[in-house]
Amino acid sequence: SSSSSSSFSSSSVSSSLGSTSGKHIVVIGAGIVGCSTAYHLALRGASVTVIERKKVGAAASGKAGGFLARNWGDGASTQFLHRHGFDLHRELATKLNLTSWRQIPTLSITRETWLSDAHDDDDDDDD
């Protein structure tokens, strides 16, 4: 089987969007995607209206734990997106002087045989 990879940069995305300056754009939904889209369109000079049925972050975006790890996508075809997304969170927090965002060290531990080991331990108790 063959695998394909693609890459993009924020500059290639920006150039393909054309000019948004002076345009009025309506964004449907005030979750993380809608809010991010509105924010970045406004940075490009657009007048943006966000329409939301309930309130900002009322659905899935408001329920997320908010934990990000920069290297979770390493080795995957989406590695660039994982790393770029993490960097954008840091950049936005700095730009907006957010005190609720912070970078902390983490440790990820994986044990693939956990379930089979737990089952084997149960069998030993019956002897």
Side-chain angles (χ1 to χ4, degrees):
S1 94
S2 65
S3 65
S4 64
S5 64
S6 61
S7 63
F8 73 84
S9 67
S10 55
S11 61
S12 66
V13 171
S14 295
S15 63
S16 67
L17 291 175
S19 174
T20 58
S21 183
K23 293 182 180 177
H24 184 220
I25 300 172
V26 177
V27 175
I28 309 295
I32 189 65
V33 173
C35 288
S36 178
T37 300
Y39 174 77
H40 285 92
L41 286 168
L43 288 179
R44 295 175 53 82
S47 170
V48 183
T49 299
V50 178
I51 298 174
E52 171 58 48
R53 183 180 354 181
K54 294 183 180 182
K55 63 181 185 174
V56 174
S61 293
K63 311 297 186 270
F67 180 79
L68 301 169
R70 189 172 197 273
N71 64 344
W72 276 353
D74 285 1
S77 61
T78 57
Q79 178 175 324
F80 173 79
L81 291 175
H82 288 262
R83 290 175 171 258
H84 188 62
F86 184 90
D87 294 343
L88 286 174
H89 277 81
R90 179 181 17 219
E91 177 186 314
L92 186 60
T94 300
K95 189 179 286 187
L96 299 178
N97 295 317
L98 300 178
T99 58
S100 59
W101 188 92
R102 65 192 188 285
Q103 186 170 343
I104 58 173
T106 60
L107 174 65
S108 178
I109 300 173
T110 302
R111 183 165 179 198
E112 294 177 15
T113 59
W114 179 76
L115 288 175
S116 64
D117 285 352
H119 179 65
D120 291 343
D121 289 344
D122 289 342
D123 289 344
D124 291 342
D125 293 339
D126 294 336
D127 292 334

